[in-house]
Amino acid sequence: MTSATIEPGRPAGNRRPARSAASGHPLTRVSGLGLGVAMLWFSLLVLIPLAAVVAVAGSEGWGGFWEAVTAEQTLASIELTVFTSIGVTLVNVVMGTLIAWVLVRDRFFGKRVLEVLVDIPFALPTIVAGLVLLSLYGPTSPLGVNIANTRVAVFVAFLFVTLPFIVRTVQPVLAEIDRDVEEAAASLGASRFTIFWRIILPSLTPAITAGAALSFARGVSEYGSLVLLSGNLPMRTEVTSVRIFSSIENDHLENAAAVATVLLVISFAVIVILDVIQRRTVRRG
Protein backbone atom coordinates (compact mmCIF):
# COMPACT_ATOMS: atom_id res chain seq x y z
CA MET A 1 0.00 0.00 0.00
CA THR A 2 1.40 3.40 -0.92
CA SER A 3 1.89 6.19 1.59
CA ALA A 4 -1.47 7.42 2.74
CA THR A 5 -2.70 10.60 1.17
CA ILE A 6 -6.01 10.42 3.05
CA GLU A 7 -6.01 10.75 6.80
CA PRO A 8 -7.98 8.15 8.79
CA GLY A 9 -11.55 9.23 9.22
CA ARG A 10 -11.26 11.90 6.55
CA PRO A 11 -13.47 11.54 3.45
CA ALA A 12 -11.69 11.14 0.14
CA GLY A 13 -13.18 14.40 -1.12
CA ASN A 14 -11.66 16.39 1.75
CA ARG A 15 -8.03 15.93 0.94
CA ARG A 16 -5.71 18.68 2.07
CA PRO A 17 -4.74 21.16 -0.66
CA ALA A 18 -1.15 21.25 -1.82
CA ARG A 19 1.06 23.51 0.23
CA SER A 20 3.96 25.57 -1.01
CA ALA A 21 7.27 24.37 0.42
CA ALA A 22 8.49 27.89 1.15
CA SER A 23 5.56 29.39 3.03
CA GLY A 24 3.51 26.38 4.15
CA HIS A 25 0.28 28.08 3.02
CA PRO A 26 -2.16 26.38 0.64
CA LEU A 27 -1.47 27.09 -3.03
CA THR A 28 -4.89 27.95 -4.42
CA ARG A 29 -5.85 27.81 -8.06
CA VAL A 30 -5.53 31.58 -8.38
CA SER A 31 -2.11 31.49 -6.72
CA GLY A 32 -1.01 28.66 -8.98
CA LEU A 33 -2.19 30.55 -12.05
CA GLY A 34 -0.39 33.67 -10.88
CA LEU A 35 2.80 31.70 -10.27
CA GLY A 36 2.58 30.13 -13.71
CA VAL A 37 2.07 33.48 -15.44
CA ALA A 38 4.92 35.04 -13.46
CA MET A 39 7.32 32.21 -14.31
CA LEU A 40 6.30 32.33 -17.99
CA TRP A 41 6.87 36.08 -18.12
CA PHE A 42 10.21 35.76 -16.29
CA SER A 43 11.28 32.97 -18.64
CA LEU A 44 10.43 34.95 -21.77
CA LEU A 45 12.23 38.07 -20.57
CA VAL A 46 15.20 36.60 -18.68
CA LEU A 47 15.76 32.85 -18.65
CA ILE A 48 15.31 32.07 -22.34
CA PRO A 49 17.42 35.03 -23.59
CA LEU A 50 20.20 34.18 -21.13
CA ALA A 51 20.10 30.53 -22.18
CA ALA A 52 20.31 31.63 -25.83
CA VAL A 53 23.39 33.75 -25.10
CA VAL A 54 25.11 30.87 -23.33
CA ALA A 55 24.19 28.52 -26.18
CA VAL A 56 25.68 30.88 -28.78
CA ALA A 57 28.80 31.32 -26.63
CA GLY A 58 29.38 27.57 -26.66
CA SER A 59 28.50 27.01 -30.31
CA GLU A 60 32.19 26.76 -31.27
CA GLY A 61 33.10 24.48 -28.39
CA TRP A 62 35.26 25.07 -25.34
CA GLY A 63 38.29 25.94 -27.45
CA GLY A 64 36.50 28.72 -29.28
CA PHE A 65 34.99 30.05 -26.05
CA TRP A 66 38.35 30.07 -24.26
CA GLU A 67 40.09 31.76 -27.17
CA ALA A 68 37.43 34.49 -27.25
CA VAL A 69 37.53 35.34 -23.55
CA THR A 70 41.32 35.11 -23.13
CA ALA A 71 42.25 37.43 -25.99
CA GLU A 72 44.49 40.17 -24.63
CA GLN A 73 42.15 43.01 -25.57
CA THR A 74 39.14 41.20 -24.12
CA LEU A 75 40.88 40.43 -20.83
CA ALA A 76 41.92 44.08 -20.52
CA SER A 77 38.33 45.24 -21.02
CA ILE A 78 36.97 42.71 -18.50
CA GLU A 79 39.57 43.69 -15.91
CA LEU A 80 38.86 47.40 -16.35
CA THR A 81 35.10 46.94 -16.19
CA VAL A 82 34.94 44.57 -13.23
CA PHE A 83 37.47 46.29 -10.98
CA THR A 84 36.11 49.74 -11.77
CA SER A 85 32.58 48.55 -11.00
CA ILE A 86 33.75 47.07 -7.69
CA GLY A 87 35.53 50.29 -6.75
CA VAL A 88 32.52 52.41 -7.69
CA THR A 89 30.22 50.12 -5.70
CA LEU A 90 32.40 50.47 -2.59
CA VAL A 91 32.32 54.27 -2.93
CA ASN A 92 28.54 54.17 -3.40
CA VAL A 93 28.07 52.04 -0.29
CA VAL A 94 29.65 54.80 1.81
CA MET A 95 28.46 57.91 -0.01
CA GLY A 96 25.02 56.55 -0.92
CA THR A 97 24.33 55.60 2.70
CA LEU A 98 25.60 59.00 3.84
CA ILE A 99 23.36 60.86 1.39
CA ALA A 100 20.37 58.75 2.42
CA TRP A 101 21.13 59.50 6.07
CA VAL A 102 21.25 63.24 5.41
CA LEU A 103 17.99 63.17 3.45
CA VAL A 104 16.17 61.21 6.18
CA ARG A 105 17.64 62.46 9.45
CA ASP A 106 18.50 66.11 8.72
CA ARG A 107 16.47 69.20 7.87
CA PHE A 108 18.06 71.91 5.79
CA PHE A 109 17.32 74.49 3.13
CA GLY A 110 17.25 72.96 -0.35
CA LYS A 111 16.48 69.43 0.81
CA ARG A 112 13.70 69.01 -1.77
CA VAL A 113 16.02 70.18 -4.54
CA LEU A 114 18.63 67.60 -3.48
CA GLU A 115 15.95 64.91 -3.51
CA VAL A 116 15.24 65.72 -7.15
CA LEU A 117 18.92 65.99 -8.14
CA VAL A 118 19.66 62.50 -6.82
CA ASP A 119 17.35 61.03 -9.47
CA ILE A 120 18.87 62.90 -12.42
CA PRO A 121 21.11 59.96 -13.45
CA PHE A 122 17.92 57.88 -13.70
CA ALA A 123 16.18 60.46 -15.88
CA LEU A 124 19.00 61.35 -18.27
CA PRO A 125 19.69 59.16 -21.32
CA THR A 126 23.18 57.77 -20.85
CA ILE A 127 24.53 59.46 -23.98
CA VAL A 128 23.33 62.80 -22.57
CA ALA A 129 25.10 61.95 -19.32
CA GLY A 130 28.27 61.36 -21.33
CA LEU A 131 27.88 64.74 -23.02
CA VAL A 132 27.37 66.43 -19.65
CA LEU A 133 30.46 64.79 -18.19
CA LEU A 134 32.52 65.61 -21.29
CA SER A 135 31.47 69.27 -21.07
CA LEU A 136 32.45 69.40 -17.41
CA TYR A 137 35.57 67.22 -17.38
CA GLY A 138 36.70 67.28 -21.02
CA PRO A 139 39.18 69.42 -23.00
CA THR A 140 36.94 72.51 -22.69
CA SER A 141 36.21 72.00 -18.99
CA PRO A 142 35.24 75.22 -17.18
CA LEU A 143 36.91 73.73 -14.09
CA GLY A 144 40.22 73.22 -15.87
CA VAL A 145 39.99 69.45 -15.28
CA ASN A 146 40.50 67.22 -18.32
CA ILE A 147 40.12 63.50 -17.67
CA ALA A 148 38.86 62.54 -21.12
CA ASN A 149 40.25 59.32 -22.60
CA THR A 150 41.59 58.10 -19.25
CA ARG A 151 40.59 55.38 -16.80
CA VAL A 152 39.58 58.09 -14.36
CA ALA A 153 36.91 59.06 -16.89
CA VAL A 154 35.52 55.52 -16.77
CA PHE A 155 35.40 55.65 -12.96
CA VAL A 156 33.64 59.05 -12.95
CA ALA A 157 31.11 57.92 -15.57
CA PHE A 158 30.30 54.82 -13.51
CA LEU A 159 29.92 56.95 -10.38
CA PHE A 160 27.49 59.27 -12.14
CA VAL A 161 25.13 56.60 -13.48
CA THR A 162 25.14 54.47 -10.32
CA LEU A 163 24.70 57.25 -7.73
CA PRO A 164 20.96 56.83 -7.01
CA PHE A 165 20.84 53.08 -6.43
CA ILE A 166 22.01 52.80 -2.83
CA VAL A 167 20.46 56.14 -1.89
CA ARG A 168 17.02 55.01 -3.03
CA THR A 169 17.25 51.52 -1.52
CA VAL A 170 18.52 52.70 1.88
CA GLN A 171 16.37 55.82 2.26
CA PRO A 172 12.93 54.19 2.82
CA VAL A 173 14.37 51.56 5.19
CA LEU A 174 16.17 54.22 7.23
CA ALA A 175 12.98 56.26 7.43
CA GLU A 176 11.11 53.28 8.93
CA ILE A 177 13.63 52.53 11.70
CA ASP A 178 12.14 53.13 15.14
CA ARG A 179 14.03 55.99 16.77
CA ASP A 180 12.86 54.90 20.22
CA VAL A 181 15.21 51.91 20.10
CA GLU A 182 18.16 54.21 19.42
CA GLU A 183 17.13 56.53 22.26
CA ALA A 184 16.78 53.59 24.63
CA ALA A 185 20.26 52.36 23.72
CA ALA A 186 21.67 55.85 24.22
CA SER A 187 20.03 56.12 27.64
CA LEU A 188 21.79 52.89 28.61
CA GLY A 189 25.15 54.42 27.75
CA ALA A 190 25.70 53.14 24.21
CA SER A 191 27.89 55.35 22.05
CA ARG A 192 26.72 56.66 18.68
CA PHE A 193 29.06 54.26 16.92
CA THR A 194 27.69 51.30 18.92
CA ILE A 195 24.12 52.33 18.16
CA PHE A 196 24.89 52.56 14.45
CA TRP A 197 26.91 49.34 14.34
CA ARG A 198 24.63 47.15 16.47
CA ILE A 199 21.16 48.60 15.81
CA ILE A 200 21.01 50.64 12.62
CA LEU A 201 23.46 48.84 10.32
CA PRO A 202 21.87 45.37 10.62
CA SER A 203 18.55 46.90 9.59
CA LEU A 204 20.13 48.72 6.65
CA THR A 205 22.30 45.84 5.43
CA PRO A 206 19.68 44.19 3.17
CA ALA A 207 18.96 47.54 1.51
CA ILE A 208 22.66 48.37 1.16
CA THR A 209 23.48 45.00 -0.40
CA ALA A 210 20.52 45.29 -2.78
CA GLY A 211 21.69 48.73 -3.85
CA ALA A 212 25.28 47.49 -4.17
CA ALA A 213 24.16 44.66 -6.45
CA LEU A 214 22.24 47.13 -8.64
CA SER A 215 25.21 49.50 -8.67
CA PHE A 216 27.63 46.77 -9.74
CA ALA A 217 25.27 45.44 -12.41
CA ARG A 218 24.77 48.91 -13.86
CA GLY A 219 28.53 49.46 -13.90
CA VAL A 220 29.44 46.28 -15.79
CA SER A 221 26.72 46.98 -18.35
CA GLU A 222 27.29 50.71 -18.87
CA TYR A 223 27.87 51.93 -22.40
CA GLY A 224 26.31 55.27 -23.35
CA SER A 225 27.98 57.56 -20.82
CA LEU A 226 31.43 56.23 -21.81
CA VAL A 227 31.23 56.68 -25.57
CA LEU A 228 32.21 60.35 -25.52
CA LEU A 229 34.25 60.65 -22.32
CA SER A 230 36.46 57.55 -22.26
CA GLY A 231 37.43 57.45 -25.93
CA ASN A 232 37.04 53.63 -25.99
CA LEU A 233 40.79 53.14 -26.42
CA PRO A 234 41.74 49.42 -26.73
CA MET A 235 43.83 48.13 -23.82
CA ARG A 236 43.29 51.41 -21.96
CA THR A 237 39.71 52.67 -21.64
CA GLU A 238 37.69 50.09 -23.56
CA VAL A 239 35.03 48.45 -21.37
CA THR A 240 33.35 45.12 -22.03
CA SER A 241 30.11 46.62 -23.36
CA VAL A 242 32.09 48.39 -26.07
CA ARG A 243 34.10 45.24 -26.71
CA ILE A 244 30.89 43.23 -27.14
CA PHE A 245 29.46 45.82 -29.51
CA SER A 246 32.66 45.80 -31.58
CA SER A 247 32.51 42.01 -31.88
CA ILE A 248 28.92 42.19 -33.12
CA GLU A 249 29.82 44.90 -35.63
CA ASN A 250 32.62 42.66 -36.95
CA ASP A 251 30.18 39.73 -37.25
CA HIS A 252 31.80 37.78 -34.38
CA LEU A 253 28.58 36.97 -32.55
CA GLU A 254 30.11 33.97 -30.77
CA ASN A 255 32.88 36.12 -29.29
CA ALA A 256 30.35 38.69 -28.11
CA ALA A 257 28.23 35.98 -26.49
CA ALA A 258 31.30 34.48 -24.81
CA VAL A 259 32.24 37.80 -23.20
CA ALA A 260 28.61 38.34 -22.16
CA THR A 261 28.58 34.90 -20.53
CA VAL A 262 31.70 35.75 -18.53
CA LEU A 263 30.03 38.93 -17.29
CA LEU A 264 26.94 36.91 -16.38
CA VAL A 265 29.01 34.51 -14.26
CA ILE A 266 30.88 37.37 -12.57
CA SER A 267 27.66 39.24 -11.79
CA PHE A 268 26.08 36.09 -10.33
CA ALA A 269 29.16 35.51 -8.15
CA VAL A 270 29.04 39.10 -6.88
CA ILE A 271 25.35 38.76 -6.01
CA VAL A 272 26.06 35.56 -4.06
CA ILE A 273 28.94 37.21 -2.18
CA LEU A 274 26.78 40.20 -1.28
CA ASP A 275 24.03 37.88 -0.04
CA VAL A 276 26.52 36.05 2.21
CA ILE A 277 27.79 39.36 3.59
CA GLN A 278 24.23 40.47 4.25
CA ARG A 279 23.31 37.30 6.14
CA ARG A 280 26.45 37.38 8.30
CA THR A 281 26.00 41.06 9.14
CA VAL A 282 22.35 40.60 10.10
CA ARG A 283 23.19 37.50 12.18
CA ARG A 284 25.95 39.38 13.97
CA GLY A 285 23.63 42.28 14.68
Side-chain angles (χ1 to χ4, degrees):
M1 182 176 180
T2 58
S3 58
T5 57
I6 306 175
E7 296 182 6
R10 181 183 295 271
N14 293 333
R15 297 179 182 180
R16 290 181 176 179
R19 294 178 178 268
S20 61
S23 63
H25 296 295
L27 189 62
T28 64
R29 292 183 178 180
V30 175
S31 300
L33 178 62
L35 177 61
V37 171
M39 290 304 300
L40 176 62
W41 186 254
F42 182 73
S43 298
L44 291 174
L45 290 181
V46 180
L47 296 182
I48 295 177
L50 289 180
V53 169
V54 175
V56 173
S59 60
E60 294 188 349
W62 174 253
F65 177 87
W66 184 254
E67 182 180 356
V69 299
T70 56
E72 187 178 7
Q73 188 174 342
T74 300
L75 285 177
S77 67
I78 293 175
E79 178 185 0
L80 174 63
T81 302
V82 172
F83 283 101
T84 302
S85 297
I86 292 174
V88 165
T89 300
L90 293 176
V91 173
N92 284 333
V93 166
V94 177
M95 297 307 300
T97 304
L98 176 62
I99 294 173
W101 184 280
V102 169
L103 291 175
V104 173
R105 294 296 178 94
D106 297 333
R107 296 181 179 180
F108 53 91
F109 178 76
K111 180 178 178 179
R112 292 183 179 273
V113 176
L114 182 58
E115 286 269 12
V116 174
L117 292 177
V118 167
D119 290 328
I120 284 183
F122 280 156
L124 281 179
T126 54
I127 190 65
V128 177
L131 180 60
V132 170
L133 293 174
L134 181 64
S135 301
L136 190 59
Y137 300 117
T140 60
S141 170
L143 304 177
V145 178
N146 182 12
I147 61 173
N149 304 331
T150 65
R151 293 197 170 194
V152 177
V154 178
F155 194 87
V156 171
F158 281 10
L159 278 176
F160 182 85
V161 299
T162 60
L163 169 67
F165 287 105
I166 291 182
V167 177
R168 291 313 187 198
T169 54
V170 170
Q171 189 176 355
V173 177
L174 184 60
E176 292 297 324
I177 293 179
D178 189 358
R179 300 288 294 274
D180 293 339
V181 178
E182 300 175 40
E183 294 174 359
S187 66
L188 295 174
S191 64
R192 291 185 177 181
F193 177 79
T194 301
I195 293 174
F196 177 80
W197 187 255
R198 302 292 296 181
I199 298 176
I200 300 177
L201 184 59
S203 300
L204 296 181
T205 297
I208 293 175
T209 53
L214 293 172
S215 175
F216 179 83
R218 178 63 184 274
V220 296
S221 64
E222 182 55 28
Y223 176 81
S225 63
L226 299 168
V227 173
L228 300 177
L229 188 62
S230 70
N232 304 320
L233 304 177
M235 307 297 296
R236 291 179 55 192
T237 63
E238 184 184 45
V239 295
T240 49
S241 57
V242 176
R243 182 65 177 157
I244 291 172
F245 183 72
S246 299
S247 297
I248 295 174
E249 280 191 323
N250 294 323
D251 200 25
H252 294 153
L253 186 60
E254 295 80 8
N255 292 356
V259 178
T261 301
V262 171
L263 289 183
L264 174 63
V265 172
I266 292 174
S267 298
F268 181 77
V270 169
I271 292 174
V272 171
I273 292 171
L274 289 174
D275 183 68
V276 171
I277 293 175
Q278 169 192 332
R279 293 176 184 275
R280 290 185 176 181
T281 303
V282 171
R283 189 181 302 119
R284 183 189 61 199

